[in-house]
Amino acid sequence: MASTTIIQTSFAAGELDPALAMRHDVQQYAAGARRLTNCRLLVGGGARRREGTRWLAELPADARLIPWTVDESKKYVVALSHGRMDAFRDDGTPAGSLVGCPWTLAQARAATWFQSANTLFLAHPDLPPQRIARTGETSWSRQALAFAQPAGAGGRIHQPYFKLAPDSVALQPSGRSGAIELRTNTDWFRVEHVGCRFRYAGREIVITSVYNSVTAFGTVIDELPPSQDVTVDNAAGWQVGQVVEGDETGARGEVVGISSGTLLRIVVEERVGGFKVGEFVTGPESRAKVTAVAEVPPAASRNWDEQLYGPVHGYPAAVGLHRNRLILAGGRAVPNIVCASRTDSLYDFDVGDAIDTDAVLDLIGDAAAQRIVQVVSGEQLLVLTDRGCYYNAESASRPFTPANFGLLPFGSPWPVSSCRAEPFDNGVILVTGSTIVKLSPTGDTTAQWTGTPTSLLASHTIKSPTDAAFTTGWYGGVETYGFFVNGDGTMACMQLLESQQVRSFVPWTIAGTVRSVAALGDELFLVTQRTANGAVKILLEKVDPALSLDAATTYADLSAATARYGTGDGVQVIAGRYALGGLPQPDPAADGPYDVGLDFPWLIETLPPVIQGRSGAIIHDTMRICRVWVELLGSHRLSVSGQTLAAYVVTDELSQAPPLRSGPQEFRLLGRARRPTITIHAPEPLPVTVLGLSMEVSA
């Protein structure tokens, strides 16, 4: 058969899953590769050996990175490790630290956060929400989030409250003010309740001591409402648990007992004066005239609640900021609750009368939603759970208010992981298990969001991610990427351009493991665990386009390099366009400055070619790739299937550094195979950019 030329103009489909080896019928096959190790895909479709990283600092312990942007001139990355926080400027300069912090490393990794200006909020169900503040260029403070205590509120705390006990549990105070005893009709109190707040008919009591599981003592913060025996002319139709209202006084209360045929025992909820003789009381099914009123000791009532978040029931699992409201969501006790603060006070969660500016407290009205994992603020509030995704259908004509709040489900029931979800490419990217999903607005007024898995064709590159970051460009370039730190310490680089139908993933590896990742605009930072000079180190590193080695340091001379890096096989020295070999004495010598760091593998392997015969596609017959032309751009030399370009050609000046190559480079190959591929790698750790290739194939 005559030879056939096959042209690959792009690697935009990325590294395809090995399970797709026979799927030459899909369009991604023509723009994909079997392997693209440590490549950075370009917006035009080329594949470049990824940039190296600069050694910024050695961290005291393994850590999670969080980016912190105050403004364009003040940017930090903060590393959260066991019991501490260390801050660094974007050039790696130490910028202060906090010690004695309440989190473990595992809690820091699983926590949700949001940062705005000089404040960072951190939430984990085992910890009080943390508020970290930047108080100076290198100074920081930390405290547990304190809920609002507005002036004139009588000592009340405007925090979320919820009836956490079963509805049948009633609470009876011994008095209306001062120090009182509290009793429940079943076990409820725990010693951890000391210092917590209960509300009886909406009035607050702080627990001062716990005697046993049904008895506690407390101090009334604002006088409790009265209980009244209200005699009416007709008690027919009244039931315990009904809420009744006086037509003249406006008093409202819960009926907690009915006796004597005409006697209602009522715990007054509003208007401390209570009901009066002569007015009518109205219930859901009855109306009667009041003939007598007598105040009685506080009655046992089911109308009570307690603070939602605290040492007894845990703390919120998710935190966010949306429409100038602080969002607290989830937690151990009520895992499907969403709390949004007042619009005029981030720390005030008073639901008030449910006017537009009041706080919001609501449950996801869907039994399938078991546990809120994260919240994401965009044009609408997204609530991500372990069973699926929900959105609040808000718009300019339907603003975020208590009356308009209601979460609607969308997409498949993806179990969202704790790996951070973020807005990206006009949508939101989340992780579910080992799959990356993009949530996108639909523009439809009835089904406003949808979700699409994006990593299915490269599922082997995604391995239970633990951290994620998303750049807004790449060091002044046009490319934008998402990065996912896998559970095995590798990383996947995602290029997603839905407008260009580009969805690609390539694996990034290092000599060691990646522990965390963060992006500050177009810059990428890593926490890594590496072995340097025989010692295991936790490093803060930053991707640097000027480097082609990892964890690199630039030296004017090499006298101090060995003490940091040792003389292992992976240590390399580069001076300009010269790759000089390893330490302690690179050969040949060249003038500095010298970049010393760790090498990393770079490899492109094509998919087997598919050529057409008389009976259709030829796949498993033996073939020979006779010649290959590799299109380069500003590249150092490379090897193709074992053949290496010479560093110089006869017209080059040998006293100068090897020139960069652009344009097609020809390689002639031998040998036949049933599934032949082309492998491309660099013999030295220097930049290479492959724009595409063509193969002459004979069967």
Side-chain angles (χ1 to χ4, degrees), residues 242-306:
Q242 289 181 335
V243 175
V244 299
E245 184 171 349
D247 65 347
E248 295 183 20
T249 62
R252 297 178 74 247
E254 176 195 7
V255 177
V256 296
I258 301 176
S259 62
S260 304
T262 58
L263 183 64
L264 308 177
R265 177 156 290 183
I266 300 174
V267 175
V268 179
E269 296 179 1
E270 298 181 11
R271 306 286 177 99
V272 174
F275 299 91
K276 73 175 186 177
V277 175
E279 71 174 334
F280 283 85
V281 290
T282 303
E285 301 173 355
S286 301
R287 176 179 168 86
K289 187 174 183 178
V290 178
T291 60
V293 175
E295 185 169 325
V296 296
S301 173
R302 294 180 298 174
N303 180 22
W304 67 277
D305 52 19
E306 60 185 295

